[in-house]
Amino acid sequence: MEKVMCDGTTICYAEQGQGDTLILLHGYCGSSSYWDEIVPELARSYRCIVPDLRGHGKTDAPVGSYTIDQMGNDVLQLMDELKVEKATLLGHSMGGYIALSIAQRHPERLHAFGLIHSTAYPDSEEGKEKRLRAVSTIQTEGIVKFVDGLVPALFAPEHVESMSAQVTRVKEIGYQTAPQGAAGAALAMRERPDRRDVLSATPLPVLLVAGEKDAVIPPERTFTSDKPHIVQAVIPEVGHMSMYEAPEKLIQVIKQFMDGLSSSKNNTWN
């Protein structure tokens, strides 16, 4: 992986391919490795940049609470360092919250953005309590115990056994998350605002991807706007992890969206 320094924080990332820039943001207790099954194919057509987000993978994990805007600023600074003026930004789960933050605050940096198994809703009160319990588990029982409890629920129930190798791989990625990074990011998600208005108000093209059997973020919490500029896609028979459960279908959805952007470069989609 490559690395750059952004305001004292080392951000690690991988880059592959040429063409229009596509930045993929992973989810909670993940890393850039989440995209390993789909980047090689996408890189045939696009310049793919896949960072490890603050607190995750090989990127620095400062102690203390993070904010989603702060994590978004890391991505913007990475773009600056790589001389990427504008990009299409797709975020999985937590990565989607970061994509929304950037779309709201710096839409001029984006050609388009998307949420993959993510939502513009804030945490419910119950969800906020779960974040605090997650932090407590991480601090008292360790990251391995926490990840072992987290990961199986990310897959469709029938895939927990039939895709045991993929489940194990996602756990292994999660184990590499620094405990303070997992805690800081959990608190960032807990405090994120309601950004449904970003989806309804943005003039940018938007991709919303949901898993038919996602128990973490069901489709109705992803599809909060059906304006003309929004493309909605449901991937059948998958949970929260289509990049592992049905990578070829996720690739197809992303390529169709990107191809639509390319064919509309001279209109408002750009």
Side-chain angles (χ1 to χ4, degrees), residues 120-136:
Y121 276 101
D123 268 359
S124 64
E125 290 305 312
E126 179 186 5
K128 289 182 178 182
E129 287 302 312
K130 286 183 178 178
R131 301 291 188 199
L132 294 180
R133 290 199 296 272
V135 172
S136 177

Side-chain angles (χ1 to χ4, degrees), residues 88-270:
T88 296
L89 185 63
L90 303 181
H92 170 246
S93 199
M94 179 184 73
Y97 310 151
I98 296 168
L100 282 166
S101 168
I102 294 173
Q104 180 180 50
R105 298 180 299 122
H106 293 283
E108 74 281 358
R109 302 300 301 272
L110 302 179
H111 289 300
F113 69 97
L115 311 183
I116 299 175
H117 310 302
S118 190
T119 182
Y121 276 101
D123 268 359
S124 64
E125 290 305 312
E126 179 186 5
K128 289 182 178 182
E129 287 302 312
K130 286 183 178 178
R131 301 291 188 199
L132 294 180
R133 290 199 296 272
V135 172
S136 177
T137 298
I138 292 163
Q139 292 176 337
T140 60
E141 301 183 51
I143 193 68
V144 171
K145 176 82 169 181
F146 175 71
V147 167
D148 282 344
L150 172 72
V151 168
L154 304 181
F155 287 76
E158 62 268 31
H159 291 160
V160 176
E161 289 190 9
S162 66
M163 296 185 175
S164 59
Q166 290 89 334
V167 173
T168 297
R169 177 60 182 144
V170 173
K171 286 183 178 181
E172 290 171 344
I173 293 170
Y175 297 156
Q176 302 304 310
T177 309
Q180 72 270 21
L187 295 173
M189 293 188 290
R190 184 179 189 270
E191 299 302 324
R192 75 184 190 278
D194 187 335
R195 284 193 161 112
R196 284 175 288 172
D197 61 326
V198 178
L199 291 182
S200 59
T202 181
L204 295 169
V206 178
L207 174 64
L208 301 178
V209 180
E212 180 188 20
K213 298 184 176 181
D214 191 339
V216 180
I217 299 177
E220 62 268 22
R221 290 186 67 82
T222 298
F223 302 141
T224 57
S225 180
D226 58 359
K227 296 291 183 72
H229 62 284
I230 294 178
V231 175
Q232 299 184 359
V234 178
I235 300 183
E237 304 296 320
V238 306
H240 197 63
M241 301 295 289
S242 61
M243 66 283 294
Y244 284 95
E245 296 175 271
E248 67 291 338
K249 293 179 181 177
L250 180 59
I251 289 169
Q252 182 180 19
V253 168
I254 293 174
K255 289 185 75 170
Q256 287 178 346
F257 180 68
M258 294 293 289
D259 288 348
L261 298 180
S262 297
S263 66
S264 305
K265 272 197 168 181
N266 294 320
N267 65 22
T268 56
W269 275 37
N270 197 38

